[in-house]
Amino acid sequence: MLNFEYYNPVNLVFGRGQIAKLSKLIPQNAKVLMVYGGGSIFKNGVHEQVASALEKHTVVEFKGVEPNPRYETLMKAVKVVKEENIDFVLAVGGGSVIDGVKFISAAANFEGDATEILRKRLRIEDNALPFGTVLTLPATGSEMNSGSVVTIEATQEKLPFGGPALFPQFSICDPSVVASLPVRQVQNGVVDAFTHVLEQYITYPHDAILQDRIAEGILQTLVEVGPKVAENPSDYTLAANFMWSCTMALNGLIQKGVPTDWATHMIGHELTALYEIDHARTLAIIAPNLYRVMFDTKKEKLAQYGQRVWGINADTIEEGAAMAIEKTVQFFHAMGMDTKLSGYTPEYEKTADFIVNRFEERGWKALGERQNITPDKVKAIVELSY
């Protein structure tokens, strides 16, 4: 097992009716900026619950954080923070809103060009504005980690950053909110979480036995509840297990002591930046083809995944690994995903060259757990996804 440190200070407040605890979780004298996306929190009653809980606080609202939050929009919120002397930021939404608030928190006291936070992937270790979250869409796990991804619209770049100062002080997770979500968003959440686990699990054999078993348990749970919760999001038991699986998929626990990949995400981010394809759907496009191109170095873990998660009993490692990839594709299809880029845009033929050029410009020439996903491999992965 690799050496590791595990630090996660997030106070996770889970279950029905927990939004009412906001009044005690945020300091009474804090001036709060409530940040959210569109109007869904008004339709599902979450805004009313938050407003009621914070009736004794001074609250300023900022609306309009997009899916795949834009740097340009978030800088408007940073301006509000400074003009209104905000003490605390509250994200009310899904992963995009929470990621956006992490950037607001980092940029509020940042001196200089805030795009450097993204382009230089600065590690934010201090001087961040305190914030908390009310989760309305399970998917990214951003409610219990210190990472974020933000899009610079002007250059069509979707870039990750993070740091220990960007853990939420608390996150309220009420599974009841799942009942009001559109089917597409539930499907996206299941596949997003599923792929988060795969990125930390399908690498190469190692001796972190417990991490493997926890990862497999999350995957098995998502396989069991994913299609059901998409069909019946008002089932609280299904919603609760779905929400908790999304959080556990990316709160740092299963990645400790193990090699991790994340190349699927790095390539997928480019598809979102270029074509506005939902994040989870880019992962469903890229992941199976990355496993096909990198088959020789991933086949042992693919076979283990196939046996433990899908119950595949094959005669050879190669056969088991290949069957595991196909089972994954079938699951993505069952969750409403198109696994081909051509299903989303007719202008896909130059995508591989564009992404490879962009990666080379950034110096991203060695991705993956073995640093063996080179530009030629990226090109092959994307072209196989057409």
Side-chain angles (χ1 to χ4, degrees):
M1 194 183 302
L2 303 175
N3 292 354
F4 67 88
E5 295 183 14
Y6 183 51
Y7 171 73
N8 194 319
V10 180
N11 176 17
L12 197 83
V13 185
F14 191 97
R16 284 191 180 99
Q18 299 284 38
I19 293 175
K21 293 184 177 178
L22 273 174
S23 60
K24 296 180 180 179
L25 292 168
I26 298 176
Q28 199 68 50
N29 62 347
K31 189 173 185 180
V32 180
L33 181 68
M34 184 200 310
V35 179
Y36 51 95
S40 63
I41 66 169
F42 292 90
K43 296 175 183 177
N44 61 19
V46 170
H47 184 276
E48 182 180 355
Q49 293 181 63
V50 171
S52 176
L54 296 180
E55 61 182 356
K56 294 183 180 179
H57 286 76
T58 301
V59 179
V60 178
E61 298 189 16
F62 184 88
K63 176 185 177 182
V65 176
E66 311 90 345
N68 306 302
R70 303 300 198 270
Y71 164 83
E72 291 83 355
T73 300
L74 301 175
M75 287 306 295
K76 295 177 183 176
V78 171
K79 183 179 179 182
V80 173
V81 166
K82 294 177 178 179
E83 290 176 347
E84 296 285 346
N85 295 314
I86 297 296
D87 303 302
F88 193 96
V89 187
L90 180 66
V92 184
S96 291
V97 172
I98 297 171
D99 278 12
V101 163
K102 289 178 180 178
F103 180 82
I104 295 167
S105 171
N109 298 316
F110 186 77
E111 295 182 4
D113 182 359
T115 61
E116 291 184 1
I117 296 172
L118 305 174
R119 293 205 169 104
K120 295 183 178 180
R121 296 182 70 176
L122 297 181
R123 180 176 167 86
I124 309 301
E125 298 188 4
D126 52 32
N127 209 28
L129 201 63
F131 69 97
T133 88
V134 175
L135 181 67
T136 63
L137 172 59
T140 68
S142 192
E143 68 277 2
M144 201 178 178
N145 65 44
S146 61
S148 173
V149 185
V150 166
T151 297
I152 302 176
E153 188 168 21
T155 54
Q156 290 186 300
E157 294 177 278
K158 185 174 179 180
L159 301 169
F161 70 102
L166 297 182
F167 282 105
Q169 290 196 350
F170 64 82
S171 285
I172 296 177
C173 301
D174 182 347
S176 300
V177 303
V178 175
S180 64
L181 295 176
V183 171
R184 184 184 183 93
Q185 289 188 334
V186 177
Q187 292 171 332
N188 284 350
V190 171
V191 171
D192 197 3
F194 196 87
T195 314
H196 285 160
V197 179
L198 296 182
E199 292 273 44
Q200 301 164 89
Y201 173 74
I202 297 184
T203 55
Y204 53 82
H206 53 76
D207 56 2
I209 298 169
L210 180 59
Q211 283 90 323
D212 272 6
R213 292 296 189 182
I214 297 171
E216 291 154 5
I218 298 169
L219 294 171
Q220 288 171 322
T221 303
L222 289 168
V223 168
E224 180 179 344
V225 307
K228 296 176 183 176
V229 75
E231 291 179 6
N232 188 11
S234 61
D235 185 311
Y236 183 85
T237 297
L238 294 173
N241 282 281
F242 162 47
M243 181 174 274
W244 184 224
S245 293
C246 291
T247 299
M248 286 295 293
L250 202 58
N251 66 1
L253 182 62
I254 64 171
Q255 76 172 12
K256 297 306 177 184
V258 305
T260 59
D261 187 346
W262 299 111
T264 292
H265 272 69
M266 304 310 287
I267 300 170
H269 287 166
E270 299 303 316
L271 299 184
T272 296
L274 286 170
Y275 304 119
E276 291 291 334
I277 303 170
D278 298 1
H279 171 62
R281 292 167 195 266
T282 70
L283 304 180
I285 292 168
I286 296 299
N289 294 307
L290 185 144
Y291 301 147
R292 290 171 178 135
V293 171
M294 306 306 297
F295 188 84
D296 286 342
T297 61
K298 287 181 176 288
K299 61 186 179 182
E300 287 86 1
K301 282 305 284 286
L302 280 165
Q304 176 182 311
Y305 156 68
Q307 194 278 321
R308 293 185 181 180
V309 175
W310 295 109
I312 294 170
N313 292 306
D315 293 332
T316 66
I317 287 175
E318 288 78 9
E319 181 184 351
M323 292 173 67
I325 295 172
E326 295 313 308
K327 278 286 189 181
T328 305
V329 172
Q330 291 169 18
F331 178 63
F332 289 164
H333 289 168
M335 293 309 307
M337 303 287 123
D338 190 325
T339 52
K340 290 291 185 181
L341 180 58
S342 54
Y344 295 95
T345 175
E347 301 175 357
Y348 59 83
E349 293 183 354
K350 296 182 180 180
T351 304
D353 289 332
F354 182 88
I355 291 175
V356 168
N357 289 339
R358 178 162 274 184
F359 281 13
E360 288 180 334
E361 288 171 0
R362 295 176 187 155
W364 297 2
K365 298 181 181 181
L367 305 178
E369 70 275 9
R370 295 181 187 268
Q371 299 289 280
N372 61 348
I373 302 180
T374 50
D376 61 310
K377 294 291 195 303
V378 172
K379 182 178 174 67
I381 291 163
V382 178
E383 289 183 340
L384 197 58
S385 303
Y386 291 169

